[in-house]
Amino acid sequence: MSSPRGVNGTILEAAFVDPAYSWPPAEGQGKNAIELQASTALMKSAAPGDSMDWEDEEISLTPSLISTDDGNGAAGGSSSSVFGASLGARPRFHVKKVTGVETVQSTKGKLCCKRQVQEEVLHTSEVRVDEFGNPISDAEAMERQRQYNEERRAAAAAAPNATGASNGNGTTTKAQRRAERQRRILAKKKKKRREHRAAERYRRVPEGILVYRLDTSDHTITLVSGPSSNTNMDTLMTNMVVVRAKPGSDRARRGIVLTGADGNQHTLVACEQRTAISWLESMDMMLACAPNVAVRAKLAESGHTVRNTADAKSGWAKGAESKLSQIEREEIEERYVNLAAYSNNLIRAGALPNGGGGAAAQASVVSGSSKASKKSNKQNAAAGGGGGGGGAGGIYYTVTQVREDGEEYDEETLESIAKRRAVIKDSWDFFRMVCSLLRDRRKYDEVFRRMQLDPVYPYLNSMTGLNDPGDDMAMGGNIGADKPLVQMAREEYDHMSPSAIAKDLVQRAEVALPSLVEICKALAGSLGMEEVGVGPVKDAGSAVRKAERKYEGDVLKVTDYCRALLVVKDFPTLLALLELARDSFGPLIRRVKLSTLKTDRSSKPGGYRDCIINLELKDHICEIQIHLWPMWVVCGVDGFRHYRHCLEYSTDTFGDPFEALAGLDRKTMAELIVMAEEAVADMPLETLEWYHEKFILDYFAEVGLFLNHGLYEWAETTLRTLIKLRCQSPDIGQDHHETITLYRYLEQALRAQKKNDEAEDVARKIYNNKQQKKTEKDEAEKSLWDQWVLEPFESIVDPNKREREEEEKIRKEVRASKKAWRKVREERFKFLDGAQ
């Protein structure tokens, strides 16, 4: 495996649950004991090198780019590179303590005895020196390191055979053999140092936690921490060459089921669900690649051949991704790890999603090893952790990226990662918004169905007169330039631009506004409105844009320059308002628009329905929007935003919110899951409650990503949790349309896993719910249908009989509804009899 940038694989280290313990641990059992210093590193060779020497740990240069390459040089001596003859020694720097004598002047004595005294004291300071002990500045050190790296790359390009393999005639030179021996010696020393540091790093791991290392360069998972007191050593997995990985079925979505080259299976349960998701994605990318030399060697050691890995199932080895080259796969892996690492650092620093991370938190995003990061993480741990971002309760891996030549991320790379995250974050926000819009659309439809059961609804549905047909062209409505209601066309408008006309209409709206306020006060005082709002007057710019969008640029057709809103309790209150308005200021009414409240008419985009009354006040058309409380409470004051977004994105054309994911490549889908996990960082799935609406929507959106990404086990786990919560909700329940929708997705996830028996049980629940609704509808038409069946001959002779009976049935319903309205009017709105 190789790439132009030298990237070869990924190392991830993270905390997992010891099977002998439960997670999260009980109160006081290690919650704040440590902060794991695990790392993610992009490697340069199949045998991963050490990210830093012991000597390098003493370096404290301010520019983080000054970290030297692992594979070249020895402390203070000659180069170990195969190009040692042409290159100078690798530059090495360390901090040196310098002690000297310093003259200090001080004042002693008081008043007249005061005197100046000079004393010589020992003074110790730290200076940065090179391998020869000469002081050196940061700029000089960076320049020397840069020159060395350039020379090394140039030498490598000029001498391709200087790898120790051949000098062109099938033999190797003495210098090459010596360099190879030196390389092996250094490799052994570094391996020992790594083992020592790993033992020290994880010596204080809390009870019940095991730290594993995943190396995608050789497909291995290794235990790097010691066992706990209750660990079952007979079943403990310490090392595995992975040939297959899939999601576990645990309730917390933190499990990964691993299959080794020997056929044995082990399940690792992460301490944090983001760990499980990022690890599984990394392994899925890993298993899509052809085994390299390191993997083949591991398989050979265990007595298995490469053919044992042929049955590895990876989504990255299917479809368009199966055609990717090795270099393209490595680049995708690198970018994915970068994004996940960046997001994880944001969360751990307390900067996301609801953390109050200040400057220290923001600084820690750049480098997981910075002082700001350590300070921020210690503060978070001291605060108690919890399920959120930066505390010790959210234990998973922090990030230390190592690049080619040992260089950490430069500012340009970090900026690129941040920009990519911003793009994916915007995509996630848009997808989540689509899910929210379609959810609210279904809520509006459900509310309207319930409202139609009101006894007075058939009477309202039959009203005509000033009622405007609205924008439903299929029902004889008007739209665009056909709108009949317009502002007064004045002579001076003939020589004015649309913008100037709009400004004049705005001025006239401001004159009419006080009269509209008085009318709304009178209506609200008489009927006890739930909500009342007046103004502000629409500005000219908004009016011009609306006219261009809806009325072919005719600003006279904009009738809501001067506007107000009223929220009524129910249909009877709406009928009372219409009657009161007719009796009180009937001559001023120019239109009553009830079209969206009619059974046979379409709703507004997004499912919303309301009533609009247009009045002419001071020679200006004003608008009163009348909302019904059950519809209003779905989105509240954000109802207009819902309408605008549904109109802009044509969401009514979506039958399923997950259709918005169609056409996305696998890499983008994986990155969107990173953003989804970032959104739910403060609320792990096992802690979710039925009233956590925001997080329920986040998890629902993530289900769509899981289904489209092939993570059906985690989709099933999430859906079962959401169904349980919806059944617990006092406002929803098991027969609600939202619950049934979740059941449909659950059936899809189960069938994808070949769990056909469970899928059939879910399908029966969906069918029974459908039959129940159909029965309720059929019972209303039963008598008419029976009559049609009992009199077939008469129906043939008179084919219009059924239509006439339907019309008669509607007339009877309207008469009964009008009678019900009179009764309600007598009980609740008797004052209407005296309205003037």
Side-chain angles (χ1 to χ4, degrees), residues 219-240:
H219 294 203
T220 58
I221 291 183
T222 308
L223 179 68
V224 294
S225 67
S228 301
S229 57
N230 295 332
T231 302
N232 186 344
M233 300 303 298
D234 295 332
T235 59
L236 181 65
M237 192 273 284
T238 58
N239 188 273
M240 172 185 286

Side-chain angles (χ1 to χ4, degrees), residues 307-381:
R307 288 193 299 273
N308 290 100
T309 65
D311 61 347
K313 295 181 180 179
S314 167
W316 288 91
K318 304 174 184 176
E321 284 75 17
S322 63
K323 302 176 182 179
L324 295 172
S325 67
Q326 198 79 340
I327 292 176
E328 289 173 325
R329 292 182 187 280
E330 292 171 2
E331 290 176 347
I332 288 175
E333 176 184 351
E334 179 184 2
R335 288 195 294 267
Y336 172 78
V337 172
N338 290 347
L339 180 68
Y342 191 87
S343 176
N344 288 336
N345 275 353
L346 286 172
I347 297 170
R348 286 186 63 83
L352 287 175
N354 297 318
Q362 296 295 335
S364 68
V365 172
V366 176
S367 172
S369 62
S370 68
K371 294 181 179 180
S373 174
K374 295 178 181 179
K375 180 179 179 181
S376 174
N377 289 332
K378 288 179 180 179
Q379 291 171 345
N380 288 332

Side-chain angles (χ1 to χ4, degrees), residues 499-512:
S499 178
I501 296 173
K503 290 179 181 179
D504 183 74
L505 291 172
V506 168
Q507 294 176 356
R508 296 180 182 278
E510 292 173 348
V511 174

Side-chain angles (χ1 to χ4, degrees), residues 106-111 113-117 119:
S106 61
T107 303
K108 293 188 177 181
K110 296 180 181 180
L111 299 177
C113 298
K114 185 184 297 184
R115 65 187 185 280
Q116 298 292 329
V117 178
E119 297 178 326

Side-chain angles (χ1 to χ4, degrees), residues 239-307:
N239 188 273
M240 172 185 286
V241 179
V242 181
V243 298
R244 186 178 180 185
K246 66 176 184 177
S249 57
D250 61 293
R251 175 175 174 264
R253 299 188 324 180
R254 293 185 280 108
I256 307 174
V257 180
L258 303 171
T259 304
D262 56 2
N264 291 331
Q265 277 194 348
H266 290 276
T267 299
L268 294 183
V269 179
C271 294
E272 216 282 337
Q273 66 187 27
R274 291 192 302 281
T275 299
I277 289 173
S278 60
W279 269 52
L280 184 68
E281 194 65 41
S282 297
M283 283 188 278
D284 207 33
M285 294 179 185
M286 171 188 79
L287 294 173
C289 298
N292 62 4
V293 176
V295 177
R296 293 172 186 270
K298 291 284 185 181
L299 291 170
E301 289 176 5
S302 58
H304 295 79
T305 64
V306 177
R307 288 193 299 273

Side-chain angles (χ1 to χ4, degrees), residues 820-831:
W821 158 240
R822 290 196 186 102
K823 183 177 180 180
V824 174
R825 185 180 184 277
E826 177 69 22
E827 295 174 353
R828 295 173 52 188
F829 309 107
K830 192 173 181 62
F831 64 87

